Amino acid sequence: MAKNRSIFEEVGTTEKQVAQAGVIDAGRGGARGAIRVWLMILFGLVVLMIAVGGLTRLTDSGLSITEWRPLTGAIPPMNAADWQSEFEKYQAIDEFRIQNQWMELSDFKVIYWWEWGHRQLGRVIGVVWAIGFLWFLLRRKIPTGWTLPLLGLGVLGGLQGAIGWWMVASGVTTGEGMVDVASYRLATHLGLAFVILGFIAWYVFHMGRTERDLMQARRGKEARLFSISTGLMHFAFLQILIGALVAGIDAGRSYTDWPLMGGQVFPATALILEPWWRNLFESPGLVQFVHRVTGYLLFAFAVVVWLRGRRSAHPRTRFAFNAVMAAMALQIVLGIVTVLYAAPWQVAILHQLLAVILWVLILRARFLSAYPVATSIRGT
């Protein structure tokens, strides 16, 4: 006959249940560290791509290759006949016939290599993404919920290549008088590059912390700070697009005085084109004026966001917003220097690279407002 057991005996004599650490991460962690390294490599390549693209624009090299050959275009001219053939294609477009008739084959080779290098780097980025993604996918090392976001990077990269050709095609014309690509297409191309860079940076931030840590940090989200930093992110992106319009028509070299423009608050040549809306994209005076005013407003808004960020309870979040403010101030100064010296390529490319740094710092501050790093009272 079975002996009755008291409830106290039952609890006390059964095997102890040992709590397992990391249950939240179990089955979903994947190779977060390795994926983060892969993403950081992609990040570095995209930054390099933006820099090379900027230099390609500043050296007026973007129209030197007049065809889009995604596969065979990876092979440059290998002999004198090939070089002559490429040069003849370039000689047929408006940029050469109107602006660069002085060029000899040796001059053409210089701009050809810039554009070829830009396109080749795009191919390298695509290969690095594909190898990494397929490696982690086939080995089932991608954390739960991350397959589509990582796949999305490749889709955006492919779209960027297509937009790149759409941009170049606007300047590869005969008899239309085009000597540059359309500025709004250049803005689209650069804007998507910053979007891709932003996604990569955001994913790197996520992969740097465990899923359990992020779930706990989300409880301490500073909603108002996150909201206002999101606004700053969008505002900065708008200014990046306007900056691309400036670069597309060399508007940075149209007025080289500051704070006035040609001795006036509003430039005299701002609204000289018909119909009126063309001035928004093609008038150097108006485009530079809008870029300046937007910069002032962006700086003012950044101060508001910074003052809000300084009140964060988390030291790392406060430091992140301090870094944003420092980079913003430096960018304003560098922008003024770019204008005063008529946008020499050395200063112009620094201005563009600092925009990349500022963009990532804003994303970092926004991320920390959503997922703050808890610090003990002693640590503060």
Side-chain angles (χ1 to χ4, degrees):
M1 182 175 178
K3 181 181 178 182
N4 292 332
R5 303 175 64 186
S6 78
I7 58 173
F8 300 103
E9 180 183 358
E10 185 176 350
V11 172
T13 58
T14 53
E15 295 182 2
K16 294 182 178 180
Q17 299 295 319
V18 180
Q20 296 180 4
V23 173
I24 294 177
D25 293 325
R28 65 163 74 180
R32 298 180 75 91
I35 291 176
R36 188 168 188 257
V37 170
W38 168 61
L39 289 172
M40 291 173 72
I41 292 172
L42 284 174
F43 179 90
L45 288 172
V46 173
V47 172
L48 180 60
M49 185 71 165
I50 291 174
V52 172
L55 289 170
T56 301
R57 174 68 192 93
L58 290 167
T59 55
D60 287 323
S61 304
L63 301 179
S64 57
I65 301 178
T66 60
E67 298 173 325
W68 189 41
R69 295 172 295 174
L71 297 178
T72 59
I75 303 174
M78 303 300 291
N79 52 55
D82 291 343
W83 275 113
Q84 189 60 39
S85 174
E86 291 296 321
F87 189 31
E88 289 174 358
K89 294 173 185 176
Y90 178 67
Q91 289 175 310
I93 70 173
D94 291 330
E95 183 181 72
F96 175 84
R97 300 170 72 177
I98 296 174
Q99 182 174 285
N100 291 335
Q101 286 190 15
W102 56 271
M103 277 191 174
E104 301 291 340
L105 180 58
S106 59
D107 304 304
F108 170 71
K109 288 182 178 181
V110 174
I111 63 172
Y112 183 96
W113 283 123
W114 272 113
E115 175 63 10
W116 183 84
H118 184 52
R119 297 190 186 191
Q120 194 70 5
L121 186 54
R123 295 183 177 96
V124 169
I125 293 174
V127 170
V128 171
W129 170 82
I131 291 175
F133 179 75
L134 292 175
W135 172 265
F136 293 118
L137 180 67
L138 296 177
R139 292 175 62 87
R140 298 184 179 179
K141 294 295 184 180
I142 299 179
T144 301
W146 279 95
T147 300
L148 287 180
L150 296 180
L151 175 62
L153 291 178
V155 173
L156 289 176
L159 178 62
Q160 179 72 320
I163 288 177
W165 172 245
W166 174 65
M167 175 189 70
V168 170
S170 67
V172 180
T173 62
T174 301
E176 298 179 23
M178 291 291 294
V179 296
D180 289 305
V181 301
S183 60
Y184 68 91
R185 297 192 187 190
L186 175 64
T188 303
H189 190 50
L190 182 64
L192 184 54
F194 272 80
V195 168
I196 293 171
L197 192 70
F199 275 121
I200 295 174
W202 194 260
Y203 297 164
V204 168
F205 300 152
H206 269 274
M207 290 295 177
R209 296 163 67 176
T210 65
E211 193 69 24
R212 179 175 54 176
D213 179 28
L214 291 171
M215 290 182 67
Q216 292 174 344
R218 194 178 303 145
R219 300 171 186 171
K221 177 180 178 179
E222 299 176 279
R224 291 185 179 179
L225 185 56
F226 178 79
S227 178
I228 197 171
S229 60
T230 300
L232 181 63
M233 177 189 70
H234 290 144
F235 203 165
F237 185 71
L238 173 63
Q239 179 69 332
I240 289 166
L241 295 180
I242 298 173
L245 294 178
V246 171
I249 59 174
D250 289 325
R253 294 167 177 157
S254 58
Y255 289 90
T256 58
D257 54 334
W258 183 87
L260 300 178
M261 297 181 66
Q264 300 178 212
V265 174
F266 189 73
T269 61
L271 300 172
I272 60 174
L273 301 178
E274 294 290 343
W276 68 267
W277 56 264
R278 286 181 56 200
N279 294 285
L280 297 173
F281 303 99
E282 300 176 28
S283 168
L286 183 60
V287 172
Q288 189 189 139
F289 176 79
V290 171
H291 191 49
R292 289 191 186 195
V293 172
T294 305
Y296 302 147
L297 295 175
L298 176 61
F299 181 76
F301 186 59
V303 171
V304 174
V305 176
W306 172 61
L307 292 175
R308 180 76 188 184
R310 289 183 63 193
R311 299 204 300 268
S312 171
H314 306 283
R316 291 185 62 176
T317 303
R318 294 197 299 269
F319 181 83
F321 280 93
N322 287 339
V324 169
M325 193 66 243
M328 183 71 72
L330 182 58
Q331 181 71 326
I332 289 290
V333 172
L334 191 55
I336 294 171
V337 172
T338 303
V339 165
L340 294 177
Y341 286 89
W345 71 265
Q346 300 92 333
V347 179
I349 198 64
L350 284 177
H351 191 47
Q352 181 168 307
L353 288 175
L354 187 53
V356 171
I357 294 172
L358 178 59
W359 175 242
V360 176
L361 288 175
I362 291 172
L363 291 172
R364 176 66 175 170
R366 179 174 179 264
F367 178 82
L368 287 173
S369 65
Y371 302 96
V373 178
T375 307
S376 65
I377 296 178
R378 180 179 298 179
T380 60

